[in-house]
Amino acid sequence: MGIRGLTGFIDKNQHLLHQYELQNCSVVLDGNNFYHYLYHACHLQCNFGGDYDVYRTKIIATFQSMKECGITPYVVLDGAYTVDGRKLKTSLSRAVTRINLVESIANGHSGQVLPALAYETFIQVITESGIPHAMCQFEADSEIATLANKLQCPVISNDSDFYIFDLRYGFLPLDYVHFRPVRKQSTENKTHSYIHCYKYHVDDFISSFEGLNRSTLPIFATLLGNDYIDNRAFSVFYARFKVPKVVSKEFSLPSRMTKIISVLHWLHTQADTSGITQVRDQLLTYFSADKRTVVGKLFDKAVQGYTEINTFDGFDLFKFFANERPAFLNVSPDFNFYNGRRFPEWFLSSVCKGELTSHILNVAVLHRVILLTQVEALPFASSYNTSSFLRNILYAIVLKDEICDPTRTALNLLTISSHGSPAYNTRCNSFCERRYELCGKIEGENTDTEEKNGDQIKNDFEEYERDSCDQDDPFEMEQITNLEKLRPNAACVEEYTRVNNQLKKTAFYVSSEAEKFQPPGLEELPCLSFEQREEVIFKAFNVCSDSVTNFPDKMKIFVLCVIAWISRSNPNVTFHQFDSILLCVLFLAAKRDLKTRKRKQKRCDKESYSHEEYHLREMPHKSVQTNFDIEYVCSLCQTSDLKEFTFNLKKYHKTEPTFNRNNCFSTTICHAFAQLQALLVDASHLNRILMKPLLNPQPSEFINGTFLYNLTADISGRSNPDLFVSLMFGESNSTSLLKDLYQNLRSFFLEETKLSDFLIISKQTRNRHGRKKKNKKSQFNTQAKDVNSEQEDEVLDTDEFSEFSDNNKFNLLMLCD
């Protein structure tokens, strides 16, 4: 979640943090928070699509540092959004903010947008490294707190909610953790390593201010507001008393933190109250009678999120990490199919192991997903339009069991559940809150337009109440009516995605194309053979499995995505972009091979035979001419030749492009590779739901955004691009193997798969005289003009709804009507 202003408050009052040496212990990592933090902590480029090879190295180094210090990390990841939609508004707001950041980056301003394949990179590394990890069914905050208390260890995160949770062994804010090990001499002339960090404990905060105790701390967090409750709901409360000049001599409270001052002062006046219930009742006296019920429900739900950390809401993570099988059997009441049926056992097990993704869970549980915008050209259609055919198959698999069971529709389920089941109660708890927020009942926040809209919404609600007055429970009937408004159609998936520079909602129905080969449902999947599940992927791409036989298993999905990228992209992929992706793959493979040889050289000073003799003797059946195993070909090259090849290209990998008036940032180049990444993301999701018949591609082996942008821009300005590419390989016989492989790969995509007609020739971006002048100033030119700027956006076959505006308080009704 996140509490408004609390992180800044702690930063201003660092006496609440104490230096701590983290060593020889366990620690629980907030997985989603951690992989975001690591990418930005590396100071990696976000503007060009992700430098995943560097990111992977950073992840490995961080966990290696923990291992060196005797630290056992347990990574816990978020699952689906909550079924009652409490966090929908916050999630949509963040998606809009992300679009605004992309627009700012496109205009030459600074900004950071996490690349699309960062999660896939992170989860692959921790899986390969054997780092204990698990995924929750819904948001993981309370589950993390519960696990940490059971493991008797601290939590590492940057989420300000952990300042409020009753963590018995403390909280380590990520911004104050230095993951480089510090070596210290002990008294026995032995050295040990530790990670220097700062530790926070809730008792230090409570003892620093009179009137606070453990029971009132969740109230403090709720009144400040979080992702589930806007602090504007308590505007009446804030307006009823004046902010004191001095709250505590121990706190540094700047004037901009007036709400924190107000809450602290009010809690100080409630020092004699004995618990949350009494404080809640006192708080509600500030509100008129017609608002107390709604505000009380808002308050109870928010406080409950901080207090219920004694038991796990879903899987028992403590038993799971102890390798106890019963952990898979406990599920949250809301963690079911969209129509209320229980998920099959293999699905529950895969969720807990982190083998699926939150995207898949949102499809299965909510039929609602948010496709986060990449750095791309906003005038063009969203990069995720290119991969819509893969999502079509994914949705067909997840929805099949529900669509084939027409007797259990969403409406029937609601009627059955209205008799008091936990699933119904949880789903409906938030609609009184939405009524309060969306009807414009928050004083002092409405503009004239918003007041008019609010009156209309209020009239609609009153009409529902009048129609339901003869029922046993009119309020319950209103909840059912509004729940149906907010729930997407049971036969489709709601996608929130970018259209131009706005966030739009579309209803994505499974098309007849997905039903041609009758994709399996979740119940049916475990009964299928490995080959049958693999065949689903090839049918989804409409490619014969025999066509990729000569590629190693870990490259097959990537090759399928490149084929789809060339044939489906809009605007079309250029020859220069295509050449850049091939060179990028070869360059990254050569770098990995050199790094492997360097490690081997440290273990063995002399080898009795050359690399060529070793590999040819071990794998004589392979033919360089017919095999597309890039790592094998690299192993046949001399070290000096690989160094020459990587030296010729490393400037594109390490040098960040610079922009000026004559050399502007090209979103068209980024858009092309964003479409490829969208394909890789959705292909990975499809492969995971099919229980991974193929190896998911490793982003670190195929994509470095900085390299791709620099190289594409430079090739686009060359008068003879083919000659330029040829010179990158050098002249030796050894590197000619790489050159031959490059030519064979090019021939495969352009001739064997007959994709040459889809590629277009980019216009030359600089004239001869301009090139000579520029070459004196820099090694390469990053200038590239937009290609096919006159092409119109591709329109998907979906039903489009109204746009979402972050600044409009009635945006949820606009999206859900």
Side-chain angles (χ1 to χ4, degrees):
M1 291 188 287
I3 301 167
R4 308 289 186 263
L6 187 54
T7 298
F9 172 79
I10 298 296
D11 290 339
K12 288 287 184 180
N13 296 273
Q14 293 194 12
H15 64 275
L16 298 173
L17 303 173
H18 304 284
Q19 294 192 54
Y20 185 71
E21 295 180 0
L22 187 64
Q23 59 183 324
N24 301 323
C25 66
S26 298
V27 68
V28 180
L29 288 173
D30 180 352
N32 287 65
N33 201 281
F34 192 60
Y35 82 82
H36 279 78
Y37 166 83
L38 278 183
Y39 193 93
H40 299 307
C42 299
H43 304 290
L44 297 178
Q45 280 296 324
C46 301
N47 300 356
F48 311 112
D51 296 348
Y52 299 111
D53 54 321
V54 185
Y55 180 46
R56 176 186 173 88
T57 302
K58 179 65 175 180
I59 298 171
I60 294 173
T62 301
F63 284 107
Q64 185 60 39
S65 296
M66 294 186 189
K67 183 178 180 181
E68 184 179 335
C69 299
I71 301 168
T72 303
Y74 294 90
V75 180
V76 181
L77 300 156
D78 286 335
Y81 297 126
T82 53
V83 296
D84 55 15
R86 288 177 294 170
K87 203 172 179 179
L88 177 61
K89 181 178 178 182
T90 300
S91 301
L92 294 176
S93 176
R94 290 175 179 172
V96 171
T97 301
R98 188 177 173 103
I99 294 175
N100 294 335
L101 273 173
V102 171
E103 187 173 26
S104 176
I105 292 170
N107 291 328
H109 303 294
S110 60
Q112 289 187 328
V113 175
L114 190 74
L117 291 166
Y119 175 83
E120 185 66 28
T121 303
F122 178 78
I123 200 69
Q124 286 181 6
V125 171
I126 63 175
T127 302
E128 294 166 9
S129 303
I131 304 298
H133 64 281
M135 174 177 283
C136 295
Q137 296 157 0
F138 297 107
E139 188 167 278
D141 287 1
S142 62
E143 310 277 315
I144 290 172
T146 305
L147 178 63
N149 285 341
K150 287 183 177 292
L151 290 174
Q152 301 180 1
C153 68
V155 170
I156 295 182
S157 175
N158 255 348
D159 193 331
S160 54
D161 284 308
F162 291 105
Y163 289 116
I164 303 301
F165 285 116
D166 186 10
L167 298 171
R168 302 189 193 102
Y169 298 89
F171 168 52
L172 310 177
L174 259 174
D175 288 335
Y176 293 93
V177 180
H178 307 284
F179 286 101
R180 181 171 295 178
V182 178
R183 291 173 178 81
K184 186 177 181 180
Q185 190 80 20
S186 64
T187 55
E188 300 176 355
N189 293 324
K190 295 181 180 179
T191 59
H192 67 276
S193 299
Y194 67 90
I195 290 177
H196 181 264
C197 58
Y198 282 81
K199 189 174 185 178
Y200 166 91
H201 199 281
V202 67
D203 288 340
D204 296 324
F205 184 78
I206 292 172
S207 62
S208 298
F209 188 78
E210 183 181 356
L212 284 181
N213 55 58
R214 290 181 183 273
S215 63
T216 57
L217 208 55
I219 301 173
F220 170 71
T222 299
L223 292 176
L224 292 180
N226 54 38
D227 288 348
Y228 289 153
I229 178 172
D230 197 314
N231 56 17
R232 292 178 299 176
F234 303 106
S235 57
V236 174
F237 162 75
Y238 290 120
R240 288 297 183 92
F241 55 84
K242 295 182 179 180
V243 177
K245 292 183 179 180
V246 178
V247 178
S248 173
K249 294 181 179 180
E250 295 188 32
F251 287 129
S252 172
L253 297 168
S255 58
R256 62 185 175 84
M257 295 183 177
T258 53
K259 287 183 178 178
I260 294 179
I261 301 173
S262 300
V263 174
L264 286 173
H265 174 68
W266 184 75
L267 289 174
H268 174 70
T269 64
Q270 304 299 312
D272 295 334
T273 55
S274 57
I276 293 178
T277 303
Q278 290 77 10
V279 176
R280 172 188 181 276
D281 294 340
Q282 182 64 26
L283 171 68
L284 294 180
T285 61
Y286 288 87
F287 296 86
S288 58
D290 61 327
K291 297 177 182 176
R292 287 175 188 170
T293 301
V294 176
V295 176
K297 289 179 179 289
L298 281 165
F299 178 88
D300 292 341
K301 185 170 300 183
V303 169
Q304 186 179 11
Y306 296 108
T307 56
E308 296 188 353
I309 61 168
N310 297 319
T311 58
F312 294 103
D313 181 53
F315 302 119
D316 190 325
L317 295 177
F318 183 75
K319 290 183 179 179
F320 169 74
F321 286 121
N323 297 318
E324 294 186 25
R325 175 69 185 175
F328 300 138
L329 304 178
N330 302 322
V331 294
S332 170
D334 292 321
F335 193 68
N336 300 300
F337 273 113
Y338 188 74
N339 63 3
R341 295 170 57 193
R342 181 183 171 91
F343 287 122
E345 286 298 316
W346 77 265
F347 188 89
L348 297 174
S349 175
S350 296
V351 171
C352 195
K353 294 176 183 178
E355 295 173 347
L356 302 179
T357 64
S358 59
H359 178 92
I360 296 173
L361 300 190
N362 285 325
V363 174
V365 178
L366 301 174
H367 287 200
R368 177 184 292 126
V369 294
I370 301 174
L371 304 177
L372 297 178
T373 305
Q374 302 183 66
V375 177
E376 56 193 41
L378 298 185
F380 294 140
S382 169
S383 57
Y384 285 97
N385 284 16
T386 308
S387 59
S388 60
F389 72 100
L390 293 175
R391 297 197 302 281
N392 192 19
I393 305 300
L394 173 66
Y395 299 162
I397 293 172
V398 175
L399 304 185
K400 182 176 181 179
D401 294 336
E402 300 177 17
I403 296 174
C404 294
D405 189 7
T407 61
R408 300 190 57 163
T409 62
L411 184 58
N412 289 336
L413 177 66
L414 285 172
T415 306
I416 295 170
S417 300
S418 64
H419 297 290
S421 75
Y424 171 79
N425 293 333
T426 305
R427 282 186 168 97
C428 291
N429 276 341
S430 69
F431 290 102
C432 56
E433 304 161 18
R434 286 200 189 86
R435 178 184 177 186
Y436 179 74
E437 272 191 299
L438 301 180
C439 285
K441 290 186 176 182
I442 302 173
E443 283 84 2
E445 299 293 340
N446 292 339
T447 62
D448 293 339
T449 303
E450 291 169 340
E451 288 176 358
K452 183 178 179 181
N453 293 337
D455 291 339
Q456 181 61 46
I457 299 167
K458 181 179 179 180
N459 292 335
D460 292 341
F461 277 123
E462 290 174 349
E463 182 179 351
Y464 286 127
E465 289 176 350
R466 288 195 300 271
D467 293 341
S468 306
C469 62
D470 296 331
Q471 304 293 333
D472 293 336
D473 190 350
F475 186 67
E476 181 178 274
M477 294 301 297
E478 177 187 298
Q479 288 176 325
I480 295 176
T481 303
N482 289 300
L483 183 57
E484 280 301 292
K485 282 187 172 184
L486 289 169
R487 288 168 63 89
N489 189 298
C492 76
V493 175
E494 279 184 359
E495 288 190 344
Y496 293 86
T497 188
R498 178 189 66 79
V499 176
N500 295 324
N501 62 346
Q502 299 291 333
L503 186 67
K504 297 279 187 176
K505 180 176 74 172
T506 58
F508 195 115
Y509 292 88
V510 177
S511 71
S512 58
E513 294 180 7
E515 299 172 353
K516 285 181 181 178
F517 56 88
Q518 298 181 341
L522 297 186
E523 298 280 0
E524 184 183 353
L525 275 174
C527 302
L528 299 182
S529 66
F530 179 90
E531 291 75 16
Q532 287 174 315
R533 289 181 280 114
E534 185 182 67
E535 190 63 23
V536 174
I537 295 179
F538 287 108
K539 284 185 177 180
F541 280 94
N542 195 25
V543 174
C544 177
S545 59
D546 293 338
S547 61
V548 295
T549 302
N550 290 330
F551 287 93
D553 289 340
K554 67 178 183 178
M555 281 193 67
K556 288 181 178 178
I557 289 182
F558 175 75
V559 172
L560 294 174
C561 289
V562 172
I563 293 173
W565 179 53
I566 296 172
S567 60
R568 294 175 178 268
S569 288
N570 182 27
N572 292 36
V573 178
T574 68
F575 280 97
H576 301 152
Q577 292 161 352
F578 171 65
D579 288 334
S580 295
I581 195 68
L582 294 184
L583 285 172
C584 184
V585 174
L586 294 176
F587 171 77
L588 294 175
K591 276 180 60 67
R592 290 195 306 275
D593 192 272
L594 286 173
K595 190 173 182 180
T596 301
R597 295 185 187 191
K598 187 175 181 180
R599 285 199 300 265
K600 287 181 179 179
Q601 191 173 6
K602 290 181 179 178
R603 295 195 300 264
C604 183
D605 294 333
K606 261 188 180 181
E607 293 185 359
S608 58
Y609 39 77
S610 66
H611 290 282
E612 293 93 330
E613 292 173 343
Y614 172 79
H615 288 285
L616 288 174
R617 186 160 57 240
E618 293 293 326
M619 296 175 288
H621 60 282
K622 290 195 173 184
S623 170
V624 179
Q625 285 73 27
T626 60
N627 190 279
F628 295 118
D629 190 336
I630 297 175
E631 292 185 352
Y632 170 70
V633 174
C634 286
S635 69
L636 300 181
C637 297
Q638 294 286 349
T639 300
S640 58
D641 296 324
L642 286 181
K643 287 183 177 179
E644 180 185 3
F645 173 67
T646 55
F647 176 80
N648 291 337
L649 290 169
K650 71 177 182 180
K651 60 185 179 183
Y652 303 107
H653 181 255
K654 294 197 172 213
T655 307
E656 179 184 345
T658 56
F659 304 106
N660 51 47
R661 184 177 298 178
N662 298 322
N663 177 32
C664 300
F665 176 54
S666 172
T667 54
T668 304
I669 295 178
C670 295
H671 193 89
F673 297 115
Q675 291 179 100
L676 177 58
Q677 292 201 56
L679 285 161
L680 289 168
V681 168
D682 286 328
S684 297
H685 291 156
L686 179 59
N687 191 43
R688 286 182 181 277
I689 198 63
L690 290 169
M691 306 168 70
K692 296 173 72 172
L694 295 173
L695 293 176
N696 265 355
Q698 292 190 3
S700 59
E701 295 188 358
F702 303 113
I703 293 179
N704 180 283
T706 302
F707 181 95
L708 290 171
Y709 185 94
N710 284 331
L711 185 58
T712 302
D714 198 13
I715 295 178
S716 300
R718 298 284 173 174
S719 58
N720 192 338
D722 292 337
L723 176 61
F724 168 75
V725 171
S726 179
L727 291 175
M728 294 295 102
F729 291 95
E731 299 296 335
S732 70
N733 293 329
S734 179
T735 52
S736 68
L737 294 175
L738 276 178
K739 186 176 180 180
D740 289 343
L741 177 59
Y742 165 78
Q743 295 294 347
N744 291 337
L745 286 170
R746 217 170 185 272
S747 175
F748 168 81
F749 286 109
L750 302 186
E751 297 177 13
E752 292 185 36
T753 54
K754 301 178 181 179
L755 296 174
S756 58
D757 292 340
F758 293 98
L759 293 171
I760 62 174
I761 300 175
S762 177
K763 297 178 182 179
Q764 189 172 340
T765 61
R766 57 188 177 186
N767 58 34
R768 182 178 180 183
H769 299 290
R771 181 170 67 254
K772 288 183 178 179
K773 183 177 180 180
K774 189 69 177 179
N775 283 342
K776 295 178 181 179
K777 296 183 179 181
S778 63
Q779 292 180 332
F780 63 90
N781 189 342
T782 56
Q783 180 180 3
K785 293 183 179 178
D786 289 353
V787 182
N788 279 0
S789 59
E790 297 179 358
Q791 295 192 24
E792 296 181 355
D793 293 348
E794 179 183 2
V795 180
L796 282 177
D797 184 18
T798 54
D799 297 334
E800 188 173 296
F801 294 81
S802 57
E803 67 189 52
F804 176 91
S805 173
D806 188 26
N807 297 323
N808 186 352
K809 107 176 19 174
F810 305 104
N811 42 49
L812 279 177
L813 284 185
M814 294 168 62
L815 284 167
C816 298
D817 282 346

